[in-house]
């Protein structure tokens, strides 16, 4: 069953959705740390994909889900041109992801992905 993605959605093809895909990035990924998130990444072929996780150190399911949604929205708002092409990335939310303004979160994410693209040779 396929659903159309609205103008504010992140298509399924742009996300790491299965546990084994995310575990592969955790196992062999390189790390970039920011105040609001940790970025784990591995080079890949084709369009970049991203996954979003939150540590249980952020207490409460509502707060964890909010942190995950904020990361996903920041990634989505970067647009396809700014996302990490040739990179599979997993963003792990830190507590600061709940408090930082969305524009600042997006800027940090753009800078982190830019550094990754330079390292990946893309």
């Amino acid at each position: 069953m396929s659903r159309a993605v609205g103008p504010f959605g992140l298509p399924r093809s742009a996300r790491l959705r299965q546990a084994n895909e995310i575990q592969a990035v955790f196992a062999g990924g390189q790390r970039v740390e920011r105040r609001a998130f940790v970025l784990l990444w591995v080079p890949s072929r084709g369009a970049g994909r991203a996954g979003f996780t939150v540590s249980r150190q952020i207490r409460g399911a509502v707060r964890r889900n909010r942190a995950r949604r904020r990361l996903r929205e920041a990634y989505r708002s970067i647009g396809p041109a700014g996302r990490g092409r040739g990179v599979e990335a997993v963003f792990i939310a830190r507590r600061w992801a709940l408090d930082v303004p969305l524009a600042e979160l997006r800027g940090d994410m753009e800078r982190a992905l830019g550094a990754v693209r330079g390292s990946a040779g893309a």
Side-chain angles (χ1 to χ4, degrees):
M1 174 177 359
S2 174
R3 292 188 334 178
V5 176
F8 300 111
L10 185 61
R12 287 184 174 198
S13 61
R15 289 183 280 158
L16 296 172
R17 296 179 37 242
Q18 297 181 351
N20 62 347
E21 295 171 334
I22 292 174
Q23 285 298 330
V25 176
F26 267 91
Q30 296 181 31
R31 185 179 184 104
V32 176
E33 294 193 28
R34 296 289 188 249
R35 187 166 57 169
F37 61 86
V38 175
L39 168 61
L40 299 175
W41 66 277
V42 294
S44 70
R45 293 192 171 103
R49 298 186 307 160
F52 305 91
T53 66
V54 182
S55 167
R56 287 200 178 169
Q57 289 180 344
I58 296 179
R59 294 288 181 205
V62 171
R63 296 182 76 220
R64 283 194 299 274
N65 287 332
R66 182 175 296 130
R68 185 179 301 111
R69 284 192 309 267
R70 287 176 57 82
L71 285 179
R72 193 180 307 130
E73 173 58 20
Y75 183 79
R76 185 207 60 81
S77 68
I78 291 171
R83 295 182 196 139
R85 181 158 179 78
V87 172
E88 289 191 347
V90 174
F91 293 90
I92 306 166
R94 290 182 165 172
R95 289 183 188 164
W96 191 256
L98 292 167
D99 301 325
V100 68
L102 197 56
E104 187 177 332
L105 183 60
R106 178 183 176 195
D108 278 351
M109 199 172 278
E110 285 176 325
R111 285 186 292 278
L113 288 170
V116 164
R117 280 194 304 270
S119 298

